[in-house]
Amino acid sequence: MALSNKFAANLIFCALENEIAIDVAYRKKVSGSEITDGLPNYKIMKQIALRKRYSLIYPLMIKIAPWLIIFLFPIQWCVAIIGSVFFHQTSTESIRLLPTTLQNRELIRLAIAQEPQFSRLEQLIQPMSVFKLGRRLGLLFVLRSLFAHLIFIRAIFSKKNKQKRDMVLHARDSFLLLLIGYDISCGSDIVLTDDHYQRWSYILSHLAKDFRIVQHGFLDDGIHFPNKYGNVSKIYLRDKSFLKQFQRIYTLTESQLYSPKIEITKTPISKEALFLASSFPAIEHEIELIKIIRNNIRIPIIIKLHPAHTYDERKNQLLALADLSVEAEINPACLIFVSYNSFMEFDYLQNNMQTVSIARAGGVAQAYEEILKLLMHIDK
């Protein structure tokens, strides 16, 4: 695909507009209070935590951040140019993996293990540094990316002040995204990610010749994206009920079900424990539920914090209610699995464990009643 600088710049701009739409949707979920007042539409849950942690200097931090990002752009350009001096491009056909977390790298591999034709192809992790991408692309494509980035920056500064601030914050890795775009458009690799609809998937769906998504969690039907996503060759689904949600976003060629096996770790209290898989946006609900359980039921409690979430001081309040807290890579065996609305529930159901979702139960009180009913049934 011949990728023009103007098209590349517009692609990144549209990808980040869609990313802002995700933050706007999450902002609405916590609206109705002053909790999001004054916060940018940029990783809204993380901003709530940061403002709590740095309350006095947070307003200054958020004013400086856009200027710091702009200041870093020329440094990124120079690093990519230096990388291009050591140009080295691999031409072997491969499977390119773009995991959103280290943990999800294995998830992608488990999903495609069902594809025997992939066994002959090398699995490569997509470079995510401007130096490595500069080295892969060479000077010509680095300079093209730089010119496209200048077009992109000009488009940002045509926005209104508040929109400009939001876009600049999201643009922190915009030059990296351009390099990835040129890199993907030059090759014929199969590209896989566990990203559902963030900026990487928007770009890949428009540029990759064979782009595939491995589902790793729930999708949010309440997000209204301003820009249309592209094509996906195949989506690996945990359940066929999610197919229509992906079809709402992408032009989809094929889908396939997969059921990864996770390692369940026994702990000294697993046989009789309740395990809470925490998520920072739901921490108030979690604390409320665990307090009710503590006051009314004698049951050991295991808690795991979400590895990708930034927590505020309420983390300590939640962990103080636990008999045992486990690290991100541990999936503890338990009597009952509880979450606000975690996709881990599929893994525990697959391992024949009882589960409760606060969101699907209808709230904390209803979730507590479901837990009581499960315990009564187990006792029988």
Side-chain angles (χ1 to χ4, degrees):
M1 178 186 292
L3 185 61
S4 72
N5 295 343
K6 188 174 181 181
F7 178 83
N10 185 63
L11 192 68
I12 304 302
F13 192 88
C14 291
L16 297 189
E17 280 190 326
N18 279 9
E19 191 100 344
I20 289 172
I22 296 172
D23 281 299
V24 169
Y26 282 118
R27 189 185 200 110
K28 288 177 180 176
K29 287 188 174 183
V30 292
S31 63
S33 68
E34 296 179 357
I35 196 167
T36 63
D37 287 354
L39 297 181
N41 291 311
Y42 171 70
K43 296 188 179 296
I44 196 72
M45 298 306 177
K46 185 173 285 189
Q47 295 306 317
I48 293 170
L50 287 173
R51 186 167 65 178
K52 279 181 172 288
R53 186 180 300 174
Y54 305 107
S55 55
L56 293 177
I57 62 171
Y58 176 81
L60 178 63
M61 288 169 58
I62 210 64
K63 283 183 180 178
I64 292 174
W67 295 105
L68 182 62
I69 289 169
I70 292 168
F71 172 74
L72 288 174
F73 285 158
I75 298 174
Q76 294 173 352
W77 302 337
C78 291
V79 171
I81 290 170
I82 293 169
S84 70
V85 174
F86 303 94
F87 175 62
H88 175 73
Q89 185 177 27
T90 56
S91 56
T92 308
E93 185 187 0
S94 62
I95 300 172
R96 196 84 64 85
L97 310 183
L98 200 160
T100 56
T101 66
L102 286 174
Q103 201 173 14
N104 285 352
R105 181 186 299 181
E106 189 58 29
L107 185 74
I108 297 172
R109 286 175 170 153
L110 285 169
I112 62 173
Q114 305 169 98
E115 308 272 12
Q117 70 270 28
F118 288 167
S119 60
R120 63 181 177 80
L121 298 177
E122 186 180 3
Q123 293 182 16
L124 302 173
I125 302 298
Q126 170 65 43
M128 294 296 280
S129 79
V130 292
F131 179 82
K132 289 181 179 179
L133 282 162
R135 193 177 179 208
R136 273 184 62 86
L137 288 167
L139 183 59
L140 176 61
F141 279 108
V142 168
L143 291 177
R144 288 187 64 183
S145 300
L146 197 158
F147 291 134
H149 202 214
L150 291 172
I151 297 170
F152 167 78
I153 293 168
R154 183 181 176 184
I156 284 180
F157 281 90
S158 68
K159 304 283 280 185
K160 295 178 181 177
N161 285 339
K162 191 170 182 291
Q163 295 173 321
K164 190 187 303 180
R165 179 190 66 174
D166 293 345
M167 186 64 86
V168 171
L169 289 172
H170 278 281
R172 74 200 186 283
D173 60 354
S174 53
F175 184 58
L176 173 69
L177 294 174
L178 281 162
L179 292 171
I180 290 173
Y182 279 104
D183 186 24
I184 294 298
S185 67
C186 291
S188 58
D189 295 340
I190 298 164
V191 185
L192 284 120
T193 184
D194 61 297
D195 172 35
H196 293 163
Y197 40 48
Q198 289 180 292
R199 56 195 180 280
W200 302 286
S201 281
Y202 182 87
I203 294 161
L204 295 172
S205 71
H206 285 284
L207 295 179
K209 293 177 177 64
D210 188 342
F211 174 46
R212 304 179 180 215
I213 296 175
V214 177
Q215 184 181 10
H216 77 274
F218 292 106
L219 282 76
D220 190 336
D221 280 337
I223 304 173
H224 299 285
F225 296 107
N227 303 300
K228 185 176 174 55
Y229 287 76
N231 302 313
V232 176
S233 303
K234 181 181 279 191
I235 289 187
Y236 300 86
L237 300 167
R238 288 301 301 272
D239 188 271
K240 63 182 180 181
S241 62
F242 295 105
L243 180 59
K244 286 186 178 180
Q245 290 177 293
F246 277 106
Q247 287 175 326
R248 184 180 71 88
I249 302 168
Y250 296 99
T251 300
L252 177 60
T253 304
E254 189 181 353
S255 66
Q256 179 175 314
L257 296 178
Y258 81 104
S259 299
K261 291 282 186 183
I262 65 165
E263 185 179 344
I264 300 293
T265 304
K266 290 183 179 179
T267 73
I269 59 174
S270 284
K271 285 187 178 180
E272 52 186 2
L274 179 147
F275 167 43
L276 171 70
S278 175
S279 171
F280 173 67
I283 193 165
E284 285 293 340
H285 300 284
E286 294 168 357
I287 291 171
E288 184 184 352
L289 177 60
I290 300 301
K291 279 184 175 179
I292 293 172
I293 292 170
R294 277 284 186 223
N295 291 332
N296 294 279
I297 308 171
R298 294 183 64 182
I299 184 172
I301 293 171
I302 305 171
I303 293 177
K304 178 166 81 170
L305 300 178
H306 196 295
H309 290 182
T310 301
Y311 284 77
D312 58 25
E313 71 280 356
R314 288 173 292 178
K315 170 184 76 174
N316 299 325
Q317 188 180 352
L318 178 65
L319 292 178
L321 297 166
D323 293 285
L324 176 68
S325 60
V326 294
E327 299 300 319
E329 65 275 10
I330 302 296
N331 300 303
C334 61
L335 192 64
I336 301 175
F337 170 90
V338 179
S339 71
Y340 184 78
N341 198 28
S342 172
F343 209 65
M344 284 177 66
E345 186 175 354
F346 277 89
D347 299 319
Y348 277 78
L349 284 169
Q350 189 176 319
N351 282 275
N352 300 314
M353 296 182 198
Q354 302 290 346
T355 67
V356 173
S357 162
I358 299 171
R360 285 201 304 284
V364 169
Q366 293 89 337
Y368 174 67
E369 290 299 323
E370 284 195 15
I371 292 167
L372 281 180
K373 288 177 183 177
L374 286 175
L375 287 171
M376 289 173 64
H377 178 73
I378 291 167
D379 287 342
K380 290 178 181 179

